[in-house]
């Protein structure tokens, strides 16, 4: 199968727009040929992963800097995944000056490429909301899931370099989830147990992801609250446990009611008990160093719920809520920020604990209602995790111990 390029794309590949654009086209077209794409498609926006210096290291920073030195610049709105620290408040949070120097150099390289330094895994909460059917090139697993499933946009899970290449060329290869036939479900999930809160949706996602393993799930019997928080959590958990990049919920998500949404040879999974997920994600720590919310990054509904549960009580353990800087600003405007700060909560912008040097900050045990965070923190940050409801995690922050 031959990858056909338009005259403009051939010109970019030939270097007529400069060496940086040529390098980007080499990446985009190489992936297209590997995956058998016949053409490229224009993308409306890009979200780039590989932002934390903890993951990139010096080699990654040099790669980005060299690309920027070649004069490359993004052609479409482009934002970043979370970094390894709050870009402004890193000192007071305990990050070292050496790590901050390297992390800020990474952000500078991205800015020289024309990328907006909006570091969040929830770009759809800060204005980047693609329409149903639009092609985008997003990289972060939970954002990809949300874009495909909840918004009905079209994106594969891009790697950091391929997402940046898509931003510089304004193109990505038309394969995978960009194509209709590849968006059909191969696993029907019948949910026969009640879901009482966001942690239950995370537990459900964890269980389904382990079985799905790249198949697209189709949920039946799933009652979803009016807000999209539950779908954000569900998709993030499936992405973490099974690399699920698209799912459908009957009567809820944009493509769920397509006549051909199910593959003829689909299998069925019945979920009637969430206990196995809680057991798998929950460690045995009693004392809690950190209660962490905001994986994926928190929105205003989650902030309001944490404020309600704290009810003005001071915290004994550290309580961090990671979120986009713009969401934090909006929380301040709406009067949500001040009560949280008064209780001792830290609203930490720009970063995610999974990609931050948490071990250097002295945190060893964490309570979180995030199934994605609970999946990754033991291996990525060496932390012992207690996974539970928002209520349990708030109580852990207030008392310093996991509630009995």
């Amino acid at each position: 199968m031959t990858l056909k390029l338009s005259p403009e794309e051939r010109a970019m590949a030939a270097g007529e727009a400069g060496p940086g654009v040529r390098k980007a086209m080499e990446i985009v077209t190489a992936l297209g040929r590997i995956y058998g794409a016949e053409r490229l498609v224009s993308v409306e926006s890009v979200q780039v992963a590989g932002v934390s210096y903890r993951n990139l290291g010096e080699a990654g920073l040099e790669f980005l800097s060299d690309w920027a030195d070649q004069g490359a610049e993004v052609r479409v709105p482009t934002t970043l995944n979370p970094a390894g620290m709050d870009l402004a408040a890193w000192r007071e949070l305990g990050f070292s000056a050496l790590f901050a120097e390297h992390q800020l150099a990474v952000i500078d390289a991205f800015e020289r490429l024309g990328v907006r330094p909006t570091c969040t895994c929830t770009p759809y909460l800060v204005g980047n909301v693609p329409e149903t059917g639009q092609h985008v090139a997003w990289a972060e697993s939970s954002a990809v899931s949300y874009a495909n499933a909840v918004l009905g946009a079209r994106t594969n899970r891009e790697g950091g370099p391929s997402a940046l290449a898509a931003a510089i060329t304004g193109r990505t290869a038309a394969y995978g989830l960009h194509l209709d036939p590849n968006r059909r479900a191969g696993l029907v999930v019948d949910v026969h147990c009640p879901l009482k809160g966001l942690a239950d949706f995370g537990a459900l996602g964890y269980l389904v992801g382990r079985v799905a393993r790249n198949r697209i799930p189709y949920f039946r019997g799933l009652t979803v609250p009016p807000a999209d928080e539950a779908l954000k959590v569900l998709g993030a958990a499936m992405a973490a446990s099974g690399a699920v990049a698209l799912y459908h919920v009957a009567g809820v998500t944009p493509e769920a009611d397509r006549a051909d949404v199910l593959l003829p040879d689909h299998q069925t999974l019945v979920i009637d008990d969430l206990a196995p997920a809680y057991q798998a994600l929950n460690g045995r720590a009693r004392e809690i160093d950190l209660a962490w919310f905001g994986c994926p990054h928190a929105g205003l509904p989650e902030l309001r719920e944490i404020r309600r549960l704290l009810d003005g009580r001071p915290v004994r353990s550290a309580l961090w809520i990671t979120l986009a800087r713009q969401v934090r600003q909006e929380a301040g405007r709406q009067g949500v920020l001040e009560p949280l700060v008064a209780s001792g909560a830290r609203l930490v912008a720009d970063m995610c604990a999974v990609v931050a040097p948490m071990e250097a900050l002295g945190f060893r045990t964490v309570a979180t209602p995030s199934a994605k965070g609970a999946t990754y923190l033991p291996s990525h940050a060496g932390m012992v995790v207690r996974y539970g409801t928002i209520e349990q995690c708030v109580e852990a922050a207030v008392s310093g111990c996991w509630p009995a």
Side-chain angles (χ1 to χ4, degrees):
M1 191 175 294
T2 303
L3 177 64
K4 298 178 181 178
L5 303 181
S6 70
E8 182 184 2
E9 292 161 355
R10 289 197 297 271
M12 287 192 283
E16 293 182 17
V21 176
R22 179 178 61 198
K23 178 179 180 178
M25 277 299 291
E26 288 173 354
I27 294 173
V28 171
T29 55
L31 286 172
R33 293 187 177 100
I34 289 170
Y35 289 104
E38 296 181 356
R39 60 189 175 91
L40 306 182
V41 292
S42 297
V43 295
E44 301 297 325
S45 69
V46 172
Q47 193 251 3
V48 179
V51 180
S52 172
Y53 181 76
R54 183 174 183 267
N55 293 349
L56 282 172
E58 198 60 29
L61 173 56
E62 184 177 348
F63 175 82
L64 291 171
S65 298
D66 289 346
W67 214 346
D69 289 342
Q70 293 174 355
E73 189 169 342
V74 302
R75 297 177 177 223
V76 297
T78 304
T79 58
L80 297 173
N81 214 33
M85 66 180 195
D86 186 306
L87 300 180
W90 56 269
R91 285 187 184 88
E92 56 197 88
L93 292 169
F95 292 93
S96 73
L98 180 60
F99 181 80
E101 177 184 352
H102 291 313
Q103 182 62 81
L104 293 173
V106 170
I107 301 301
D108 177 70
F110 277 118
E111 287 192 279
R112 289 196 291 129
L113 287 159
V115 180
R116 291 184 291 183
T118 301
C119 297
T120 181
C121 54
T122 55
Y124 45 86
L125 295 182
V126 295
N128 188 355
V129 187
E131 297 177 3
T132 299
Q134 283 187 335
H135 296 279
V136 298
W138 288 11
E140 203 281 326
S141 61
S142 70
V144 167
S145 174
Y146 194 93
N148 278 316
V150 182
L151 301 178
R154 298 179 172 223
T155 181
N156 295 313
R157 184 180 178 185
E158 300 281 354
S162 69
L164 190 53
I168 292 169
T169 61
R171 307 288 198 282
T172 193
Y175 71 93
L177 295 177
H178 289 283
L179 306 178
D180 277 343
N182 299 328
R183 298 176 68 87
R184 302 174 69 188
L187 180 68
V188 172
V189 182
D190 287 328
V191 182
H192 291 169
C193 56
L195 303 180
K196 299 178 181 178
L198 294 182
D200 280 359
F201 278 87
L204 173 64
Y206 174 82
L207 294 175
V208 174
R210 293 183 65 188
V211 175
R213 293 297 176 186
N214 292 308
R215 287 179 294 179
I216 295 172
Y218 179 91
F219 289 88
R220 295 189 302 205
L222 186 58
T223 301
V224 180
D228 289 334
E229 296 283 304
L231 295 179
K232 177 180 76 172
V233 167
L234 175 68
M238 287 190 289
S241 66
V244 174
L246 166 64
Y247 63 92
H248 306 291
V249 179
V252 176
T253 53
E255 298 171 73
D257 296 328
R258 282 174 45 189
D260 64 344
V261 69
L262 294 178
L263 291 169
D265 59 347
H266 67 266
Q267 296 179 322
T268 299
L269 170 68
V270 175
I271 300 291
D272 54 15
D273 185 9
L274 301 178
Y278 281 92
Q279 293 166 2
L281 296 172
N282 210 352
R284 296 185 177 181
R286 173 66 175 152
E287 295 185 357
I288 299 299
D289 298 329
L290 170 69
W292 175 43
F293 305 84
C295 179
H297 272 178
L300 287 171
E302 188 172 356
L303 297 180
R304 293 191 183 98
E305 179 65 2
I306 297 169
R307 179 190 63 179
R308 184 187 71 80
L309 292 168
L310 280 172
D311 193 27
R313 295 176 295 167
V315 297
R316 292 187 180 182
S317 300
L319 191 163
W320 285 18
I321 308 170
T322 46
L323 73 177
R325 187 168 295 275
Q326 295 93 323
V327 173
R328 188 171 70 182
Q329 292 168 349
E330 185 61 28
R333 286 190 288 267
Q334 296 193 19
V336 181
L337 177 61
E338 186 175 346
L340 290 168
V341 172
S343 287
R346 303 298 301 265
L347 276 71
V348 183
D350 311 319
M351 66 158 276
C352 172
V354 170
V355 297
M358 300 301 289
E359 64 280 1
L361 303 180
F363 295 124
R364 297 292 179 266
T365 59
V366 59
T368 183
S370 166
K372 179 181 180 181
T375 299
Y376 285 143
L377 278 176
S379 59
H380 285 59
M383 301 180 76
V384 177
V385 177
R386 295 305 301 257
Y387 175 70
T389 65
I390 291 180
E391 291 84 355
Q392 288 175 307
C393 294
V394 168
E395 291 307 312
V398 170
S399 68
C401 297
W402 187 252

